[in-house]
Amino acid sequence: MITSSGKYTGIPIYESLAERLRGSIREGRFAPGDLIGSEHELARQESISRMTVRKASELLIGEGLLERRPGKGLFVRDLAGLRGGVVQVIVGNLLWETSVQMARGVQEATRGDGTHVQLYDAQRDIGLDLQLIDQLPESSARGAVIVSLHHPAFSQAICRLQDKGFPFVLLDQRMRDIDVFSVTSDNHGGGVMVGEKLAQTGHKRIAFIGDLAAATVQDRLTGMRDGLADAGIAVPRSRIIDLNVGEDRFADWGQRIDAGVNRLMSQPNVPTAIFCSCDAIARQVYRALEALNLSVPQDVSIVGYDDDPLAEYLNPKLTTVRQPFRKMGESAMELLRKRIARPDAQAELCVLPVEWVERASVSSPREDV
């Protein structure tokens, strides 16, 4: 889209129109049942093509905000089914900054529309988390946003909830066996970024450390391998450390990370760079390398994932891939509205872009390694 000042915003015109109409509806400028206009009238008013208006209107119809009445035009739907009431947000651990940001995104998306957001923290108790999910159909909530625990029992609870027809959106996980409304970031694309950046910096011996029980982490590893493969670099299994944390998703992974780093750095050809599946793991990798009298990035470059606030407090500051956690929460609420408005709607997976954040933990490998 080109603004009046002549600058290109990078946002398609139809998305810009949809966002303006969406904002007007939520701010109450149009009441339920109000006529927005015909697509022909909107095209003339906006000085754009009718096809562009059609694409914008299809977006808003899909979200349940508008309805098309043949021969009359586009009307605002009765939003009683989308606003107000109680929406639950279930997280496993509010000590995780990522969960906090996603919950805030949900709250931001409901601000001023009369929806009451109830935030439930399972406080690192997977049994409580599963209990909260199982109780949703009998609760007063009209829908829920659920942050994934990446655990088999959690996935089973999601399947049970789906079978009962309760409206929910899953955050930070794509289900492999069933279709549910869910929101993730582009984990594969983020991994590709890591592979490409490390290859461009001159690294050829690259390792990975993370918990591969999570599909999101699997996608990051696959992405990194794909990005490196484009540069003709392979990652042998000996340089992949699966933390394999087992049943307790909230356990202290420190000893497993230390053991993994020791295993990597005892190989004949030690890695010159390590990709950590999250910033919290990267922090422990820093400590494990320091215990081996190795420096970051002089001896080993480190890349994290998430852009947790701790990334800027590490020494050196951590290069990482930023996930849009707040936007993920907002998008989850948008999908939940759609799910509530259209119970028979086909499940959707919303994948949001990630961003490379360059700091000081990556440098070219030393010539003598």
Side-chain angles (χ1 to χ4, degrees):
M1 177 183 178
I2 300 176
T3 66
S4 58
S5 62
K7 294 182 178 180
Y8 180 66
T9 66
I11 302 174
I13 295 174
Y14 77 92
E15 288 189 5
S16 178
L17 174 60
E19 180 59 32
R20 283 189 282 120
L21 291 174
R22 188 184 292 117
S24 295
I25 293 170
R26 289 186 182 149
E27 291 167 10
R29 298 177 192 173
F30 294 102
D34 278 358
L35 171 66
I36 296 290
S38 69
E39 290 178 351
H40 178 76
E41 290 170 340
L42 287 173
R44 179 173 50 81
Q45 293 170 9
E46 299 287 334
S47 298
I48 56 179
S49 71
R50 185 172 178 179
M51 183 59 67
T52 299
V53 175
R54 169 61 62 94
K55 292 175 72 174
S57 64
E58 289 294 340
L59 278 179
L60 299 180
I61 290 170
E63 293 173 12
L65 295 175
L66 293 182
E67 61 180 344
R68 182 183 290 111
R69 298 179 186 174
K72 296 183 179 180
L74 298 167
F75 289 78
V76 178
R77 287 194 59 180
D78 183 353
L79 299 184
L82 304 178
R83 292 180 173 175
V86 173
V87 167
Q88 289 191 15
V89 178
I90 299 176
V91 302
N93 182 16
L94 271 180
L95 292 178
W96 291 341
E97 178 66 21
T98 56
S99 295
V100 173
Q101 291 301 320
M102 287 187 279
R104 286 176 178 169
V106 173
Q107 291 176 319
E108 184 66 28
T110 61
R111 180 171 297 177
D113 73 359
T115 300
H116 179 59
V117 177
Q118 293 180 341
L119 179 58
Y120 288 86
D121 176 13
Q123 301 178 48
R124 304 178 62 180
D125 182 342
I126 189 169
L128 177 57
D129 195 277
L130 300 180
Q131 180 182 345
L132 291 169
I133 294 171
D134 286 334
Q135 291 177 349
L136 280 170
E138 287 72 47
S139 72
S140 61
R142 306 186 61 214
V145 173
I146 306 170
V147 179
S148 177
L149 289 183
H150 303 286
H151 186 281
F154 176 88
S155 297
Q156 292 167 9
I158 292 298
C159 290
R160 291 194 297 271
L161 191 62
Q162 176 81 340
D163 288 342
K164 293 181 179 180
F166 183 83
F168 72 93
V169 174
L170 179 61
L171 255 175
D172 196 35
Q173 181 179 351
R174 56 178 179 84
M175 298 289 287
R176 297 186 184 279
D177 300 325
I178 61 172
D179 293 327
V180 302
F181 281 86
S182 54
V183 178
T184 72
S185 71
D186 186 2
N187 291 286
H188 180 270
V192 171
M193 282 184 192
V194 174
E196 291 177 343
K197 294 288 186 179
L198 290 177
Q200 292 166 8
T201 311
H203 292 277
K204 296 182 179 180
R205 300 200 302 270
I206 299 161
F208 176 90
I209 184 166
D211 175 34
L212 289 171
T216 51
V217 175
Q218 295 171 25
D219 289 344
R220 292 167 202 171
L221 172 58
T222 301
M224 182 192 76
R225 281 179 143 172
D226 289 345
L228 290 172
D230 290 341
I233 301 171
V235 181
R237 290 182 63 182
S238 61
R239 293 201 190 112
I240 297 174
I241 302 297
D242 181 2
L243 294 176
N244 193 22
V245 298
E247 292 295 312
D248 191 354
R249 306 301 301 166
F250 304 109
D252 183 355
W253 299 0
Q255 290 185 347
R256 291 178 181 271
I257 296 169
D258 291 346
V261 171
N262 289 336
R263 176 179 155 193
L264 288 173
M265 304 315 294
S266 64
Q267 296 178 6
N269 294 312
V270 298
T272 60
I274 301 175
F275 174 29
C276 304
S277 67
C278 68
D279 295 345
I281 289 176
R283 175 179 57 184
Q284 186 63 32
V285 170
Y286 270 48
R287 294 174 178 173
L289 290 171
E290 183 180 9
L292 295 173
N293 294 316
L294 296 173
S295 300
V296 178
Q298 292 83 357
D299 296 308
V300 187
S301 291
I302 304 295
V303 179
Y305 207 97
D306 286 343
D307 197 28
D308 191 292
L310 69 85
E312 289 201 276
Y313 291 99
L314 293 176
N315 184 23
K317 294 181 178 181
L318 180 64
T319 294
T320 188
V321 177
R322 177 179 296 148
Q323 293 197 76
F325 291 112
R326 190 168 294 207
K327 180 63 177 177
M328 288 166 67
E330 293 175 1
S331 298
M333 191 60 213
E334 295 290 347
L335 279 185
L336 183 60
R337 286 194 179 99
K338 183 173 184 178
R339 174 72 176 82
I340 293 171
R342 301 174 62 190
D344 58 345
Q346 185 174 357
E348 295 182 23
L349 169 63
C350 174
V351 180
L352 298 176
V354 294
E355 180 183 354
W356 177 261
V357 182
E358 185 77 40
R359 295 197 180 99
S361 66
V362 173
S363 67
S364 299
R366 297 196 337 243
E367 295 181 0
D368 61 339
V369 297

